[in-house]
Coordinates of all heavy atoms in Angstrom, one line a residue:
M1 N -18.0 72.7 -40.7 CA -18.9 71.6 -40.4 C -18.9 70.6 -41.6 O -18.9 71.0 -42.8 CB -20.3 72.1 -40.1 CG -21.2 70.9 -39.7 SD -22.7 71.5 -38.9 CE -22.2 71.3 -37.3
T2 N -19.0 69.4 -41.4 CA -19.0 68.3 -42.4 C -20.3 68.2 -43.1 O -21.4 68.2 -42.5 CB -18.6 67.0 -41.7 OG1 -17.4 67.1 -41.1 CG2 -18.6 65.8 -42.7
D3 N -20.2 68.0 -44.4 CA -21.4 67.7 -45.2 C -21.7 66.2 -45.0 O -20.9 65.3 -45.3 CB -21.2 68.0 -46.7 CG -22.4 67.6 -47.5 OD1 -23.5 67.9 -47.0 OD2 -22.2 67.2 -48.6
F4 N -22.8 65.9 -44.4 CA -23.2 64.5 -44.1 C -24.6 64.3 -44.6 O -25.6 64.5 -43.8 CB -23.1 64.3 -42.5 CG -23.1 62.8 -42.2 CD1 -22.0 62.1 -42.3 CD2 -24.3 62.3 -41.6 CE1 -22.0 60.7 -42.0 CE2 -24.3 60.9 -41.3 CZ -23.2 60.2 -41.4
P5 N -24.8 64.0 -45.9 CA -26.1 64.0 -46.5 C -26.9 62.8 -46.4 O -27.8 62.5 -47.2 CB -25.7 64.2 -48.0 CG -24.4 63.4 -48.1 CD -23.7 63.7 -46.8
F6 N -26.8 62.1 -45.3 CA -27.5 60.8 -45.1 C -28.6 61.0 -44.1 O -28.6 61.8 -43.3 CB -26.5 59.7 -44.6 CG -25.2 59.6 -45.4 CD1 -24.0 60.1 -45.0 CD2 -25.3 59.1 -46.7 CE1 -22.9 60.0 -45.7 CE2 -24.2 59.0 -47.5 CZ -23.0 59.4 -47.0
D7 N -29.6 60.1 -44.3 CA -30.8 60.1 -43.4 C -31.1 58.7 -43.0 O -30.4 57.7 -43.3 CB -32.0 60.8 -44.0 CG -32.5 60.1 -45.3 OD1 -32.3 58.9 -45.4 OD2 -33.2 60.8 -46.0
E8 N -32.2 58.5 -42.3 CA -32.6 57.2 -41.8 C -32.9 56.2 -42.9 O -32.9 55.0 -42.6 CB -33.7 57.3 -40.8 CG -35.1 57.7 -41.4 CD -35.3 59.2 -41.5 OE1 -34.4 60.0 -41.3 OE2 -36.4 59.5 -41.8
H9 N -33.1 56.6 -44.1 CA -33.4 55.7 -45.2 C -32.2 55.3 -46.0 O -32.3 54.5 -46.9 CB -34.5 56.3 -46.1 CG -35.7 56.8 -45.4 ND1 -36.6 55.9 -44.8 CD2 -36.2 58.0 -45.1 CE1 -37.6 56.5 -44.3 NE2 -37.4 57.8 -44.4
T10 N -31.1 55.9 -45.7 CA -29.9 55.6 -46.5 C -29.4 54.2 -46.3 O -29.3 53.7 -45.1 CB -28.7 56.6 -46.0 OG1 -29.2 57.9 -46.2 CG2 -27.5 56.4 -46.8
P11 N -29.1 53.5 -47.4 CA -28.5 52.2 -47.2 C -27.2 52.3 -46.6 O -26.4 53.2 -46.9 CB -28.4 51.7 -48.7 CG -29.4 52.5 -49.4 CD -29.4 53.8 -48.8
L12 N -26.9 51.4 -45.7 CA -25.6 51.5 -44.9 C -24.4 51.5 -45.8 O -23.4 52.1 -45.6 CB -25.5 50.3 -43.9 CG -26.6 50.4 -42.8 CD1 -26.6 49.1 -42.0 CD2 -26.4 51.6 -41.9
I13 N -24.5 50.7 -46.9 CA -23.4 50.6 -47.9 C -22.9 52.0 -48.4 O -21.8 52.2 -48.6 CB -23.7 49.6 -49.0 CG1 -22.4 49.2 -49.7 CG2 -24.7 50.1 -50.0 CD1 -21.5 48.3 -48.9
Q14 N -23.9 52.9 -48.6 CA -23.5 54.3 -49.1 C -22.7 55.0 -48.1 O -21.7 55.7 -48.5 CB -24.8 55.1 -49.4 CG -25.5 54.6 -50.6 CD -26.8 55.5 -50.9 OE1 -27.0 56.5 -50.2 NE2 -27.5 55.0 -51.8
I15 N -22.9 54.8 -46.8 CA -22.1 55.5 -45.8 C -20.8 54.8 -45.7 O -19.7 55.5 -45.7 CB -22.8 55.5 -44.4 CG1 -24.1 56.2 -44.5 CG2 -21.9 56.0 -43.3 CD1 -25.0 56.1 -43.3
W16 N -20.7 53.5 -45.8 CA -19.5 52.8 -45.7 C -18.6 53.2 -46.9 O -17.4 53.3 -46.8 CB -19.7 51.3 -45.7 CG -18.5 50.5 -45.6 CD1 -17.7 50.3 -44.4 CD2 -17.8 49.8 -46.6 NE1 -16.6 49.5 -44.7 CE2 -16.7 49.2 -46.1 CE3 -18.0 49.7 -48.0 CZ2 -15.8 48.5 -46.9 CZ3 -17.1 49.0 -48.8 CH2 -16.0 48.4 -48.2
E17 N -19.2 53.3 -48.1 CA -18.4 53.6 -49.3 C -17.9 55.0 -49.2 O -16.8 55.3 -49.7 CB -19.3 53.5 -50.6 CG -19.5 52.0 -50.9 CD -20.5 51.8 -52.0 OE1 -21.3 52.8 -52.4 OE2 -20.6 50.7 -52.6
A18 N -18.6 55.9 -48.6 CA -18.1 57.3 -48.4 C -17.0 57.4 -47.4 O -16.1 58.2 -47.5 CB -19.3 58.2 -48.1
Y19 N -17.1 56.6 -46.3 CA -16.2 56.6 -45.2 C -15.8 55.2 -44.8 O -16.2 54.7 -43.8 CB -16.9 57.3 -44.0 CG -17.5 58.6 -44.3 CD1 -18.8 58.8 -44.4 CD2 -16.6 59.7 -44.5 CE1 -19.4 60.0 -44.7 CE2 -17.2 61.0 -44.8 CZ -18.5 61.1 -44.9 OH -19.1 62.4 -45.2
P20 N -15.0 54.5 -45.6 CA -14.6 53.1 -45.4 C -13.9 52.9 -44.1 O -13.9 51.8 -43.5 CB -13.7 52.8 -46.6 CG -13.3 54.0 -47.2 CD -14.4 55.1 -46.9
W21 N -13.2 53.9 -43.6 CA -12.5 53.8 -42.3 C -13.4 53.6 -41.1 O -13.0 53.2 -40.1 CB -11.6 55.1 -42.1 CG -12.3 56.4 -42.2 CD1 -12.4 57.1 -43.3 CD2 -13.1 57.0 -41.2 NE1 -13.2 58.2 -43.1 CE2 -13.7 58.2 -41.8 CE3 -13.4 56.7 -39.9 CZ2 -14.5 59.0 -41.1 CZ3 -14.2 57.6 -39.2 CH2 -14.8 58.7 -39.8
L22 N -14.7 53.9 -41.3 CA -15.7 53.6 -40.2 C -15.7 52.2 -39.8 O -16.1 51.8 -38.7 CB -17.1 54.1 -40.6 CG -17.4 55.6 -40.5 CD1 -18.8 55.9 -41.1 CD2 -17.3 56.0 -39.1
S23 N -15.3 51.3 -40.7 CA -15.3 49.8 -40.4 C -14.3 49.5 -39.3 O -14.4 48.5 -38.7 CB -15.1 49.0 -41.6 OG -13.8 49.2 -42.2
E24 N -13.3 50.4 -39.1 CA -12.4 50.2 -38.0 C -12.9 50.9 -36.7 O -12.6 50.4 -35.6 CB -11.0 50.8 -38.4 CG -10.4 50.1 -39.6 CD -9.2 50.8 -40.1 OE1 -8.6 51.6 -39.3 OE2 -8.8 50.6 -41.2
V25 N -13.6 52.0 -36.9 CA -14.0 52.8 -35.7 C -15.2 52.3 -35.1 O -15.3 52.2 -33.8 CB -14.2 54.3 -36.2 CG1 -14.8 55.1 -35.1 CG2 -12.9 54.9 -36.7
L26 N -16.2 51.9 -35.9 CA -17.5 51.5 -35.3 C -17.4 50.3 -34.4 O -18.1 50.3 -33.3 CB -18.5 51.3 -36.4 CG -18.9 52.6 -37.1 CD1 -20.0 52.2 -38.2 CD2 -19.5 53.6 -36.2
P27 N -16.7 49.2 -34.7 CA -16.6 48.1 -33.7 C -16.0 48.5 -32.4 O -16.3 47.9 -31.4 CB -15.7 47.1 -34.4 CG -15.9 47.4 -35.9 CD -16.0 48.9 -35.9
K28 N -15.2 49.6 -32.3 CA -14.7 50.1 -31.0 C -15.9 50.7 -30.2 O -15.8 50.7 -29.0 CB -13.6 51.1 -31.3 CG -12.4 50.4 -31.9 CD -11.3 51.4 -32.2 CE -10.2 50.8 -32.9 NZ -9.2 51.7 -33.4
M29 N -16.8 51.3 -30.9 CA -18.0 51.9 -30.3 C -18.9 50.8 -29.7 O -19.4 51.0 -28.6 CB -18.8 52.8 -31.2 CG -18.2 54.1 -31.6 SD -19.1 55.2 -32.7 CE -20.7 54.6 -32.9
D30 N -19.1 49.8 -30.5 CA -20.0 48.7 -30.1 C -19.6 47.5 -30.9 O -19.5 47.5 -32.1 CB -21.5 49.1 -30.5 CG -22.5 48.1 -29.9 OD1 -22.2 46.9 -30.0 OD2 -23.5 48.5 -29.5
K31 N -19.3 46.4 -30.1 CA -18.7 45.2 -30.8 C -19.7 44.6 -31.8 O -19.3 43.9 -32.7 CB -18.3 44.2 -29.7 CG -19.5 43.6 -28.9 CD -19.0 42.7 -27.9 CE -20.2 42.1 -27.1 NZ -19.8 41.2 -26.1
R32 N -21.0 44.9 -31.7 CA -21.9 44.4 -32.7 C -21.7 44.9 -34.1 O -22.1 44.3 -35.1 CB -23.4 44.7 -32.3 CG -23.8 43.9 -31.0 CD -25.1 44.3 -30.6 NE -25.0 45.7 -30.1 CZ -26.0 46.4 -29.4 NH1 -27.2 45.8 -29.3 NH2 -25.9 47.6 -29.0
F33 N -21.0 46.1 -34.2 CA -20.7 46.6 -35.5 C -19.6 45.9 -36.2 O -19.3 46.1 -37.4 CB -20.3 48.1 -35.4 CG -21.4 49.0 -35.0 CD1 -21.2 50.0 -34.0 CD2 -22.7 48.9 -35.5 CE1 -22.3 50.8 -33.6 CE2 -23.7 49.7 -35.1 CZ -23.5 50.7 -34.2
A34 N -18.9 45.0 -35.5 CA -17.8 44.2 -36.1 C -18.3 43.4 -37.3 O -17.5 43.1 -38.2 CB -17.1 43.3 -35.1
V35 N -19.6 43.1 -37.3 CA -20.1 42.3 -38.4 C -19.9 43.0 -39.8 O -19.8 42.3 -40.8 CB -21.6 41.9 -38.2 CG1 -22.5 43.2 -38.4 CG2 -22.1 40.8 -39.1
M36 N -19.8 44.3 -39.8 CA -19.6 45.0 -41.1 C -18.3 44.6 -41.8 O -18.1 44.9 -42.9 CB -19.7 46.5 -40.9 CG -18.6 47.1 -40.1 SD -18.9 48.9 -39.7 CE -19.2 49.6 -41.3
N37 N -17.4 44.0 -41.0 CA -16.1 43.6 -41.6 C -16.1 42.2 -42.1 O -15.0 41.7 -42.5 CB -15.0 43.8 -40.6 CG -14.8 45.3 -40.3 OD1 -14.7 46.1 -41.2 ND2 -14.7 45.6 -39.0
T38 N -17.3 41.6 -42.2 CA -17.4 40.2 -42.8 C -18.1 40.3 -44.1 O -18.7 41.3 -44.4 CB -18.2 39.3 -41.8 OG1 -19.5 39.8 -41.8 CG2 -17.6 39.3 -40.4
A39 N -18.0 39.2 -44.9 CA -18.7 39.1 -46.1 C -20.2 39.3 -45.9 O -20.9 40.0 -46.7 CB -18.3 37.8 -46.9
M40 N -20.7 38.6 -44.9 CA -22.2 38.7 -44.7 C -22.6 40.1 -44.3 O -23.6 40.6 -44.7 CB -22.6 37.7 -43.6 CG -24.1 37.7 -43.3 SD -25.1 37.4 -44.7 CE -25.2 35.6 -44.7
G41 N -21.7 40.7 -43.5 CA -22.0 42.1 -43.1 C -22.1 43.0 -44.3 O -22.9 43.9 -44.3
K42 N -21.2 42.9 -45.3 CA -21.3 43.7 -46.5 C -22.6 43.5 -47.3 O -23.2 44.4 -47.8 CB -20.0 43.5 -47.3 CG -18.8 44.1 -46.6 CD -17.6 43.9 -47.4 CE -16.4 44.6 -46.8 NZ -16.1 44.4 -45.4
I43 N -23.0 42.2 -47.3 CA -24.3 41.9 -47.9 C -25.4 42.6 -47.2 O -26.3 43.2 -47.8 CB -24.5 40.4 -48.0 CG1 -23.5 39.8 -49.0 CG2 -26.0 40.1 -48.4 CD1 -23.5 38.3 -49.0
L44 N -25.4 42.5 -45.9 CA -26.4 43.2 -45.0 C -26.4 44.7 -45.2 O -27.5 45.3 -45.2 CB -26.3 42.8 -43.6 CG -26.6 41.3 -43.2 CD1 -26.2 41.0 -41.8 CD2 -28.0 41.0 -43.5
M45 N -25.2 45.3 -45.4 CA -25.2 46.7 -45.5 C -25.8 47.2 -46.8 O -26.3 48.3 -46.9 CB -23.7 47.2 -45.4 CG -23.2 47.2 -44.0 SD -21.6 48.1 -43.9 CE -20.5 47.3 -45.0
K46 N -25.8 46.3 -47.8 CA -26.5 46.7 -49.1 C -28.0 46.6 -48.9 O -28.7 47.4 -49.6 CB -26.0 45.7 -50.2 CG -24.6 45.9 -50.6 CD -24.2 44.9 -51.7 CE -22.7 45.1 -52.0 NZ -22.3 44.1 -53.0
K47 N -28.5 45.8 -48.1 CA -29.9 45.6 -47.9 C -30.5 46.4 -46.8 O -31.7 46.7 -46.8 CB -30.2 44.1 -47.6 CG -29.9 43.1 -48.7 CD -30.1 41.7 -48.3 CE -31.6 41.5 -48.1 NZ -31.9 40.1 -47.8
N48 N -29.7 46.8 -45.8 CA -30.2 47.5 -44.6 C -29.9 49.0 -44.6 O -28.9 49.4 -45.1 CB -29.7 46.8 -43.4 CG -30.2 45.4 -43.2 OD1 -31.4 45.2 -43.4 ND2 -29.4 44.5 -42.7
S49 N -30.8 49.7 -44.0 CA -30.7 51.1 -43.9 C -30.2 51.5 -42.5 O -30.1 50.7 -41.6 CB -32.1 51.8 -44.1 OG -33.0 51.5 -43.1
V50 N -30.1 52.8 -42.3 CA -29.7 53.4 -41.0 C -30.7 53.0 -40.0 O -30.4 52.6 -38.8 CB -29.5 54.9 -41.1 CG1 -29.4 55.5 -39.7 CG2 -28.3 55.3 -42.0
T51 N -32.0 53.0 -40.3 CA -33.1 52.6 -39.4 C -32.9 51.2 -39.0 O -33.1 50.9 -37.8 CB -34.5 52.9 -40.1 OG1 -34.6 54.2 -40.3 CG2 -35.6 52.4 -39.1
D52 N -32.6 50.3 -39.9 CA -32.4 48.9 -39.5 C -31.3 48.7 -38.5 O -31.4 48.0 -37.5 CB -32.1 48.1 -40.8 CG -33.2 48.1 -41.8 OD1 -34.4 48.0 -41.3 OD2 -33.0 48.2 -43.0
L53 N -30.2 49.4 -38.8 CA -29.0 49.3 -37.9 C -29.3 49.9 -36.5 O -28.9 49.4 -35.5 CB -27.8 50.0 -38.5 CG -26.5 50.0 -37.6 CD1 -26.1 48.6 -37.3 CD2 -25.4 50.8 -38.3
S54 N -30.1 51.0 -36.5 CA -30.4 51.6 -35.2 C -31.3 50.7 -34.3 O -31.1 50.7 -33.1 CB -31.2 53.0 -35.4 OG -32.5 52.7 -35.9
K55 N -32.1 49.9 -35.0 CA -32.9 48.9 -34.2 C -32.0 47.9 -33.5 O -32.2 47.5 -32.4 CB -33.9 48.2 -35.1 CG -35.0 49.1 -35.5 CD -36.0 48.4 -36.5 CE -37.0 49.4 -37.1 NZ -37.8 48.8 -38.1
V56 N -31.0 47.4 -34.3 CA -30.0 46.5 -33.7 C -29.2 47.1 -32.6 O -28.9 46.5 -31.6 CB -29.1 45.9 -34.8 CG1 -28.0 45.1 -34.3 CG2 -29.9 45.1 -35.8
A57 N -28.8 48.3 -32.8 CA -27.9 49.0 -31.9 C -28.7 49.5 -30.6 O -28.1 49.8 -29.6 CB -27.3 50.2 -32.6
G58 N -30.0 49.6 -30.8 CA -30.8 50.0 -29.6 C -31.0 51.5 -29.4 O -31.2 51.9 -28.2
F59 N -30.8 52.3 -30.4 CA -31.1 53.7 -30.2 C -31.6 54.2 -31.5 O -31.6 53.6 -32.5 CB -29.8 54.5 -29.8 CG -28.5 54.1 -30.4 CD1 -28.1 54.6 -31.6 CD2 -27.6 53.3 -29.6 CE1 -26.9 54.3 -32.1 CE2 -26.4 53.0 -30.2 CZ -26.0 53.4 -31.4
S60 N -32.2 55.5 -31.5 CA -32.9 56.0 -32.6 C -32.0 56.3 -33.8 O -30.8 56.4 -33.7 CB -33.5 57.4 -32.2 OG -32.5 58.3 -32.0
P61 N -32.6 56.3 -35.0 CA -31.8 56.6 -36.2 C -31.2 58.0 -36.1 O -30.0 58.1 -36.5 CB -32.9 56.6 -37.3 CG -34.0 55.8 -36.8 CD -34.0 56.0 -35.3
E62 N -31.8 58.9 -35.5 CA -31.2 60.3 -35.3 C -30.0 60.2 -34.4 O -29.0 60.9 -34.8 CB -32.3 61.2 -34.7 CG -33.5 61.5 -35.5 CD -34.5 60.4 -35.5 OE1 -34.5 59.6 -34.6 OE2 -35.3 60.4 -36.5
K63 N -30.0 59.5 -33.4 CA -28.9 59.3 -32.5 C -27.7 58.6 -33.2 O -26.6 59.0 -33.2 CB -29.2 58.6 -31.2 CG -28.1 58.5 -30.3 CD -28.5 57.9 -28.9 CE -27.3 57.8 -28.0 NZ -27.7 57.2 -26.7
L64 N -28.1 57.6 -34.0 CA -27.0 56.9 -34.8 C -26.4 57.8 -35.8 O -25.2 57.9 -35.9 CB -27.6 55.7 -35.5 CG -26.7 54.9 -36.4 CD1 -25.4 54.4 -35.6 CD2 -27.4 53.7 -37.0
L65 N -27.2 58.6 -36.5 CA -26.7 59.5 -37.5 C -25.8 60.6 -36.9 O -24.8 61.0 -37.4 CB -27.9 60.2 -38.3 CG -28.5 59.2 -39.3 CD1 -29.9 59.8 -39.8 CD2 -27.6 59.0 -40.5
N66 N -26.3 61.1 -35.7 CA -25.4 62.1 -35.0 C -24.1 61.5 -34.6 O -23.1 62.2 -34.7 CB -26.2 62.6 -33.8 CG -27.3 63.6 -34.2 OD1 -27.3 64.2 -35.2 ND2 -28.3 63.7 -33.3
R67 N -24.1 60.2 -34.1 CA -22.8 59.6 -33.7 C -21.9 59.4 -34.9 O -20.7 59.6 -34.9 CB -23.1 58.3 -33.0 CG -23.7 58.4 -31.6 CD -23.9 57.2 -31.0 NE -22.7 56.6 -30.5 CZ -22.6 55.5 -29.7 NH1 -23.7 54.8 -29.4 NH2 -21.4 55.1 -29.3
L68 N -22.5 59.0 -36.0 CA -21.7 58.8 -37.3 C -21.1 60.1 -37.7 O -20.0 60.2 -38.1 CB -22.6 58.2 -38.4 CG -23.0 56.7 -38.1 CD1 -24.0 56.3 -39.2 CD2 -21.8 55.8 -38.1
K69 N -22.0 61.2 -37.7 CA -21.5 62.5 -38.2 C -20.4 63.0 -37.2 O -19.4 63.5 -37.7 CB -22.7 63.5 -38.2 CG -22.3 64.8 -38.7 CD -23.4 65.8 -38.8 CE -23.0 67.1 -39.3 NZ -24.1 68.0 -39.5
R70 N -20.5 62.8 -36.0 CA -19.5 63.2 -35.0 C -18.2 62.5 -35.3 O -17.1 63.1 -35.3 CB -20.0 62.9 -33.6 CG -19.1 63.5 -32.5 CD -19.7 63.5 -31.1 NE -20.0 62.2 -30.7 CZ -21.3 61.8 -30.4 NH1 -22.3 62.7 -30.4 NH2 -21.5 60.6 -30.0
E71 N -18.3 61.2 -35.6 CA -17.1 60.4 -35.9 C -16.4 60.9 -37.2 O -15.2 61.1 -37.2 CB -17.4 58.9 -36.1 CG -17.7 58.2 -34.8 CD -16.6 58.1 -33.8 OE1 -15.4 58.0 -34.3 OE2 -16.8 58.0 -32.6
V72 N -17.2 61.2 -38.2 CA -16.7 61.8 -39.4 C -16.0 63.1 -39.2 O -14.9 63.4 -39.6 CB -17.8 61.9 -40.5 CG1 -17.3 62.7 -41.7 CG2 -18.3 60.5 -40.9
E73 N -16.6 64.0 -38.4 CA -16.1 65.3 -38.1 C -14.7 65.2 -37.3 O -13.8 65.9 -37.6 CB -17.1 66.1 -37.3 CG -18.2 66.6 -38.1 CD -19.3 67.3 -37.3 OE1 -19.4 67.2 -36.1 OE2 -20.2 68.0 -38.0
Q74 N -14.7 64.3 -36.3 CA -13.5 64.1 -35.6 C -12.4 63.5 -36.5 O -11.2 64.0 -36.4 CB -13.7 63.1 -34.4 CG -14.5 63.7 -33.3 CD -14.8 62.7 -32.2 OE1 -14.5 61.5 -32.3 NE2 -15.5 63.1 -31.2
H75 N -12.7 62.6 -37.3 CA -11.7 62.0 -38.2 C -11.2 63.1 -39.2 O -10.0 63.1 -39.4 CB -12.4 60.9 -39.0 CG -11.4 60.1 -39.9 ND1 -11.2 60.5 -41.2 CD2 -10.6 59.1 -39.7 CE1 -10.3 59.6 -41.8 NE2 -9.9 58.8 -40.8
E76 N -12.0 63.9 -39.7 CA -11.6 64.9 -40.7 C -10.8 66.0 -39.9 O -9.8 66.5 -40.5 CB -12.8 65.6 -41.4 CG -13.4 64.6 -42.4 CD -14.6 65.1 -43.1 OE1 -15.1 66.2 -42.7 OE2 -15.1 64.4 -44.0
A77 N -11.1 66.3 -38.7 CA -10.3 67.3 -37.9 C -8.9 66.8 -37.6 O -8.0 67.5 -37.7 CB -11.1 67.6 -36.6
Q78 N -8.8 65.5 -37.4 CA -7.5 64.9 -37.1 C -6.6 64.8 -38.4 O -5.4 64.8 -38.3 CB -7.7 63.5 -36.5 CG -8.2 63.5 -35.1 CD -8.5 62.1 -34.6 OE1 -8.5 61.1 -35.4 NE2 -8.9 62.0 -33.4
N79 N -7.3 64.7 -39.5 CA -6.5 64.5 -40.8 C -6.4 65.7 -41.6 O -6.0 65.7 -42.7 CB -7.2 63.4 -41.6 CG -7.0 62.0 -40.9 OD1 -6.0 61.7 -40.5 ND2 -8.2 61.3 -40.7
N80 N -6.7 66.9 -41.0 CA -6.5 68.2 -41.7 C -5.5 69.0 -41.0 O -5.1 68.9 -40.0 CB -7.9 68.9 -41.8 CG -8.8 68.3 -42.9 OD1 -8.3 67.7 -43.8 ND2 -10.1 68.5 -42.6

């Protein structure tokens, strides 16, 4: 199982820095995530937390964290 030490208070930039490939995967999950690939999106990721993103995405922080963790686990399984 993957170590995923993030919670709802984690700044989004910390997750992106740990898993930069998510910037390719997340827009496929929801087109609203495409903003993370822009200069403004990177500024917002420094200021916003998982909770902030969950409000935009329309689901709970727990669900968002579970989806992110699942993506990380799938990515690591494919690359091992």
Side-chain angles (χ1 to χ4, degrees):
M1 182 165 266
T2 301
D3 179 37
F4 195 77
F6 308 108
D7 65 22
E8 68 272 11
H9 304 293
T10 302
L12 296 170
I13 195 73
Q14 287 182 7
I15 298 172
W16 182 80
E17 287 172 344
Y19 307 106
W21 53 266
L22 280 173
S23 65
E24 297 173 19
V25 174
L26 292 181
K28 294 175 185 172
M29 284 179 18
D30 188 320
K31 65 182 179 180
R32 292 175 290 188
F33 292 137
V35 72
M36 69 188 304
N37 292 315
T38 67
M40 180 58 86
K42 288 181 178 45
I43 291 169
L44 290 172
M45 285 194 302
K46 289 179 183 179
K47 295 176 68 175
N48 292 322
S49 68
V50 170
T51 297
D52 298 319
L53 181 59
S54 73
K55 290 176 186 174
V56 172
F59 39 81
S60 72
E62 295 80 19
K63 183 174 180 179
L64 177 59
L65 287 166
N66 286 335
R67 289 181 76 175
L68 291 173
K69 184 176 180 180
R70 189 170 57 239
E71 288 295 330
V72 168
E73 288 172 346
Q74 288 175 356
H75 185 267
E76 289 179 353
Q78 291 173 353
N79 292 309
N80 286 331

